[in-house]
Amino acid sequence: MDDSKSQSHGHIVMLPFMAHGHLIPFLALARRIRRQTPFAVTLAATPLNLWYLRSTMSPDDDDSGIRFHELPFRSSDHGLPSDTENTENLPLSQIGMLFRSSVSLATPVERLISDITAEEGRPPLCVISDVLFGWSVDIARRLGTKSITFTTGGAYGTLAYVSIWVHLPHRSTDTEEFSVPGFPERCRFHRSQLHRFIREVEPTDEWSKFFQVQIKLTLASDGWLCNSVEEIEPLGFDLSRKYLKLPVWAIGPLIPPRMLRKSSPISPNSRSKSLQKHTGKAFGVSPEKCLDFLSSHSPNSVLYISFGSQNTISPSQMMQLAIGLESSGKPFLWVIRPPLGFDTKGEFRPEWLPLGFEDRVTGSNQGLLVRNWAPQLDILSHGSTGAFLSHCGWNSIMESLSQGVPILGWPMAAEQAHNAKMMVEEMGMCIELACGVESRIEAEEVKRVIEMVMEEEGEGGEMRKRANAVMGQMREAVKEGSDDDKGSSLKALDDFVRTILGDSTNRTFSFL
Ligand code: UDP
């Protein structure tokens, strides 16, 4: 679309938080808005995060017309190591500092919105900002535009995270279980599901000051966009709308469109080439090697293991996981990083695994170890992948369920334990193996659970059937078509457009 024309329809400014798992869905949302609406879109981020976003774009994206705007940021001004603009590579002890430093983006964001307003003669239609950027709500309002919060998580998990930070309900009881405002009594939460930082939080400490303040501010925005699908978590959406008392639009899954096609007409290898730029990272082994490994095993037989873009497990957990995996005899593909307490970007030392482990499992073709980063989308969309041992980050869940792959949960941080709880209790397609980096796991238990999830019949088979049904719902949700015929997530995007245009009719727009 001619850019001046799109500008004349209106402009949307987008502000992602500085973490890999937030940047990618923001970019996917920007693409979807550009594809489905005539609006100009400016994605604003710090220099290194912009560089990273650009590096994920393929030549096909060149005409998407998304504008990138650089927000000045110098990490050393905030006590962070130089060139640190992202949660990745940061130890937990410094992540709090990054959160706090993000508030300094308010001034350049204010300037950006004022400049757009001066240039176009009217303010942007809205600012879509991350759930961690509550400071932007007031800026948007003052500058005459709408403020929309985008959660890159699911509805249930986000609501639990928001409500626990806002009310700190675990602090008003001594019991292990507690109820969370916004959730019915049957959905009781457990202390062990909370990250150490929130479990031990004092309302006056730095973490609390950041999260409570920023999250509470987002409750005053004009509506929430959520990277999920209405049909797969009806309870989460129902509870979120009642709690927030705002429109909540389910516009997901925001994953590459080819992951959502019924069957890909292209071969696994060419598909790999087209997908591998999705995350813009260097892979620990070539995508071809992963696909060859998967192709050497039968359908639904391989367990894929990854803890997302920044997590790892403790040395003793790594050892027990390796022993359990090997003794299960099940094929596996494991994205492995140095354990907790070591430089996660450093060399992987053999002593972190049982003696001779890697040689034995690669020699017998039982396992493939991939250092640090793997082509996750290619792996999940391969027919041999039968289950995913995951930290339950929301992007990983969306990617896995979009391929009908059930989950073995090992949540680590953020809202991941709430995502796992929902998948276990509401969706029945997840078994939780462990929770957090402090939990004790035994190889015997690892073996038992892996065998159960990987079985063709029984509990594993049932989980796979349910995951397949969810895959169908996710694909339906983004089905293109005219008005009534289109999927629920595209209809929700239409409704979002009506809201930001201030249009109270029920019409669909001819440009949609
Ligand atoms: N990812 C990947 N290869 C890896 C690990 C992660 O491509 O080896 C991608 C994965 O596909 C997902 C994102 O990184 O899109 C991780 O996001 P998620 O929300 O699951 O977890 P986070 O990293 O935010 O904890």
Side-chain angles (χ1 to χ4, degrees), residues 20-21 279 306 308-309 335 373-374 376 391 393-396 399 416:
H20 179 91
T279 53
S306 166
S309 62
V335 187
W373 197 256
Q376 178 159 309
H391 72 313
W394 191 249
N395 294 302
S396 293
E399 292 160 6
Q416 294 150 14

Side-chain angles (χ1 to χ4, degrees), residues 8-240:
S8 70
H9 279 100
H11 202 141
I12 293 179
V13 173
M14 299 182 67
L15 306 172
F17 180 68
M18 305 134 98
H20 179 91
H22 293 232
L23 292 161
I24 293 295
F26 257 88
L27 181 59
L29 177 59
R31 283 189 182 123
R32 185 165 296 167
I33 291 175
R34 283 292 298 173
R35 224 179 22 251
Q36 306 284 336
T37 80
F39 307 138
V41 172
T42 294
L43 198 60
T46 64
L48 287 177
N49 285 316
L50 272 196
W51 174 87
Y52 168 68
L53 281 171
R54 285 201 176 100
S55 77
T56 70
M57 311 272 289
S58 66
D60 301 347
D61 297 319
D62 284 348
D63 63 352
S64 68
I66 299 166
R67 303 173 195 184
F68 292 103
H69 178 85
E70 198 170 290
L71 300 173
F73 181 84
R74 212 172 46 207
S75 52
S76 51
D77 290 350
H78 306 278
L80 290 160
S82 59
D83 294 338
T84 305
E85 299 181 8
N86 197 295
T87 50
E88 204 183 70
N89 300 339
L90 265 189
L92 198 54
S93 54
Q94 288 184 320
I95 282 190
M97 234 181 260
L98 183 83
F99 282 125
R100 287 193 296 283
S101 73
S102 64
V103 179
S104 72
L105 300 178
T107 308
V109 163
E110 191 157 351
R111 204 174 311 128
L112 168 66
I113 298 173
S114 302
D115 288 350
I116 291 175
T117 308
E119 198 181 305
E120 297 176 7
R122 59 172 172 168
L125 290 171
C126 71
V127 176
I128 301 180
S129 45
D130 201 284
V131 71
L132 299 178
F133 283 177
W135 47 261
S136 66
V137 175
D138 175 56
I139 296 179
R141 197 140 295 152
R142 263 191 296 113
L143 299 182
T145 177
K146 290 197 166 68
S147 164
I148 304 293
T149 299
F150 174 38
T151 169
T152 52
Y156 183 106
T158 300
L159 176 62
Y161 192 70
V162 163
S163 179
I164 291 174
W165 267 116
V166 169
H167 305 283
L168 301 178
H170 55 295
R171 288 185 44 87
S172 357
T173 173
D174 292 332
T175 57
E176 286 301 298
E177 279 198 346
F178 56 94
S179 43
V180 171
F183 284 84
E185 201 46 32
R186 74 166 174 87
C187 303
R188 283 174 75 74
F189 288 68
H190 199 276
R191 238 168 244 284
S192 63
Q193 293 162 335
L194 302 179
H195 189 270
R196 178 167 56 86
F197 275 38
I198 185 161
R199 199 168 58 226
E200 296 163 7
V201 78
E202 292 297 331
T204 50
D205 76 21
E206 293 300 328
W207 283 83
S208 188
K209 273 195 236 156
F210 177 82
F211 284 101
Q212 283 211 311
V213 170
Q214 296 308 323
I215 288 174
K216 278 182 185 166
L217 287 170
T218 63
L219 303 183
S221 62
D222 295 296
W224 284 48
L225 291 161
C226 180
N227 179 16
S228 185
V229 172
E230 191 79 38
E231 292 78 6
I232 72 168
E233 43 167 347
L235 178 69
F237 280 103
D238 181 40
L239 298 179
S240 299

